[in-house]
Amino acid sequence: MWSSALPVPPWRRPRVVVKADLAAAVSVLAVVGLLGIPLGWLWSRLAPPERVLVQEGDQLIPLLLESWHRFDDLAIYGLLGLAAGVCTGVAVWLLRERRGPVIMIGATLGAVLAAWLGIRLGTAFANSHYALSTAPALNSVIAVAPRIESLWVIVAQPLATVVVYGLLAGWNGRDDLGRRLG
């Protein structure tokens, strides 16, 4: 039926170039990881403190509905992490000459580092922002610094980075992802 006399062009599949992209991936990891510093600072300013009443024996009792701020602190950091992950995925995709799985892994690991660093530095920034200069008096209301009580929020930023980068790679539709290597 079909004749094999027709010339068939050889289809070359583009290969992953690990060695050439490794230095760029480490650079992306470091730069994305450093985004945790402004992320933590921004969270420390946006997250609401919890107002508590000082009782005998240095017991801190949250005022009515103030304990909900514990969730607010977590939700704000999660949303900031998602936004940072989306921006990271798009920015790394725009590195056209280095598109591929090596850069995606570097960006994802950088997002994990940024999320961890943002939590650590964000709580430190918040503690210094809401530090008490003197011991509180009995029955006084003080503001307790915001805190993150669940480390599962670390997942938000790298997940957003991988999803956005993967969607952009799938939307591209080219085998070489549009790389322009010289």
Side-chain angles (χ1 to χ4, degrees), residues 36-124:
I37 297 171
L39 184 69
W41 182 84
L42 183 62
W43 173 82
S44 72
R45 296 306 185 248
L46 290 177
E50 182 180 3
R51 294 183 315 157
V52 295
L53 181 67
V54 179
Q55 291 291 314
E56 291 182 26
D58 292 333
Q59 188 178 20
L60 302 176
I61 299 173
L63 297 179
L64 187 63
L65 302 178
E66 284 291 315
S67 63
W68 289 4
H69 288 314
R70 293 168 47 202
F71 171 75
D72 297 341
D73 300 339
L74 187 68
I76 289 171
Y77 191 82
L79 291 173
L80 285 173
L82 284 173
V86 168
C87 293
T88 299
V90 170
V92 171
W93 177 256
L94 292 176
L95 299 173
R96 186 176 187 138
E97 294 82 17
R98 299 293 177 207
R99 288 180 183 168
V102 178
I103 293 295
M104 185 188 72
I105 291 170
T108 304
L109 292 176
V112 170
L113 177 64
W116 178 80
L117 192 63
I119 288 174
R120 303 295 275 180
L121 290 178
T123 54

Side-chain angles (χ1 to χ4, degrees), residues 118-132:
I119 288 174
R120 303 295 275 180
L121 290 178
T123 54
F125 289 144
N127 286 337
S128 67
H129 186 67
Y130 293 102
L132 296 175

